Amino acid sequence: MKDINQFQRQAPPDQEIVDAHIWRSDEGKLQLELDAPRIVQYRKPDTRTIYPKGVELRFYDSQRYLQTFIRANKATSYDDKNIITAKDSVVVIDYTNGDTIYLEDIVWKSDEDIIYSNHPVRAVNGNRVTYGDGFVSDANMTNLRITRQRGIIEFEE
């Protein structure tokens, strides 16, 4: 009976999209490409968009070169708060400097132009591997700083 009551309390989504491929551009220049197997949007009690089966984002520069790639197994966008959270096996690839960052979750506060995580981070760049307890960066991932960095391990292939 408890399971039935909980099911009845869950409101159906206001909108649902399956196999989404979305492009965002500004003045005809591609800025962002989004792929998601499923997108669910709710308006009440808070306006939010959920990516329950994962999401892939590709950010492009003005010349349409791929700058950053982000993949997460789950994500939620809190539209009224300008906050996006991504969690569960998050991977961030910065093509500008060659960093690949593996983490549990990230938070993107778009109105503050900040991306951060307070959980363990592993960053790989060529033969260099860096570990830390979190990171903070601007939204373009150009000023990335690993917090409480524990060391760099060099290895040869």
Side-chain angles (χ1 to χ4, degrees), residues 69-127:
F69 170 83
I70 300 174
R71 183 185 70 229
N73 289 341
K74 296 177 186 171
T76 303
S77 172
Y78 300 95
D79 302 332
D80 295 340
K81 299 175 185 176
N82 294 322
I83 295 174
I84 299 172
T85 61
K87 59 184 177 180
D88 193 12
S89 301
V90 178
V91 176
V92 178
I93 302 173
D94 182 350
Y95 290 100
T96 304
N97 63 19
D99 284 333
T100 301
I101 303 167
Y102 302 93
L103 20 79
E104 293 176 30
D105 67 356
I106 59 173
V107 178
W108 179 7
K109 292 186 175 183
S110 60
D111 57 346
E112 296 178 29
D113 194 40
I114 186 171
I115 297 176
Y116 69 91
S117 177
N118 295 321
H119 292 98
V121 173
R122 179 174 59 114
V124 178
N125 186 320
N127 292 343

Side-chain angles (χ1 to χ4, degrees), residues 5-17:
N5 288 337
Q6 182 168 346
F7 179 74
Q8 290 174 343
R9 281 185 277 168
Q10 292 176 345
D14 293 302
Q15 186 175 29
E16 186 169 352
I17 303 167

Side-chain angles (χ1 to χ4, degrees), residues 51-74:
Y51 305 86
K53 294 186 176 185
V55 64
E56 290 185 354
L57 297 162
R58 291 169 197 82
F59 296 90
Y60 296 91
D61 65 10
S62 61
Q63 302 297 314
R64 199 172 180 221
Y65 289 110
L66 184 60
Q67 286 187 311
T68 307
F69 170 83
I70 300 174
R71 183 185 70 229
N73 289 341
K74 296 177 186 171

